[in-house]
Amino acid sequence: SQNYPNPALLTTTISFYGPIGSEGELLLLDETGKIVSEIWTGKLVQEINHVEFGVANLKPGLYFCTLKTGLKTVVSKMIVR
């Protein structure tokens, strides 16, 4: 998964990829590994997916977008200003 813009100020668009029909979840974790938000959960209906996510209520700092689908987990860094 990847988000833009990064660093994010008010909103960011998170793009993620996976096999069509697979179940998954996209989580936002803080630096300690605590889940801050469950951004998306469900079945992938297309290979490339995009979710707009508001970050205005988050404290500035480093976060991790974690995409889990089937046996695969992908983590990317997100900075909030």
Side-chain angles (χ1 to χ4, degrees):
S1 65
Q2 184 60 44
N3 73 294
Y4 57 90
N6 192 6
L9 184 57
L10 298 175
T11 63
T12 189
T13 301
I14 303 168
S15 300
F16 54 98
Y17 311 86
I20 295 172
S22 63
E23 295 286 334
E25 63 180 353
L26 182 62
L27 305 172
L28 185 67
L29 286 68
D30 66 14
E31 290 184 52
T32 67
K34 179 183 173 192
I35 296 173
V36 175
S37 179
E38 185 178 283
I39 299 170
W40 172 87
T41 185
K43 189 175 282 194
L44 296 173
V45 294
Q46 54 194 22
E47 278 187 47
I48 302 171
N49 301 272
H50 308 282
V51 174
E52 189 168 315
F53 181 67
V55 298
N57 61 341
L58 297 176
K59 293 180 184 177
L62 177 65
Y63 293 85
F64 299 94
C65 292
T66 303
L67 174 66
K68 297 179 181 182
T69 57
L71 301 175
K72 189 173 184 180
T73 300
V74 178
V75 179
S76 63
K77 293 179 185 178
M78 180 173 77
I79 298 172
V80 174
R81 288 190 186 191

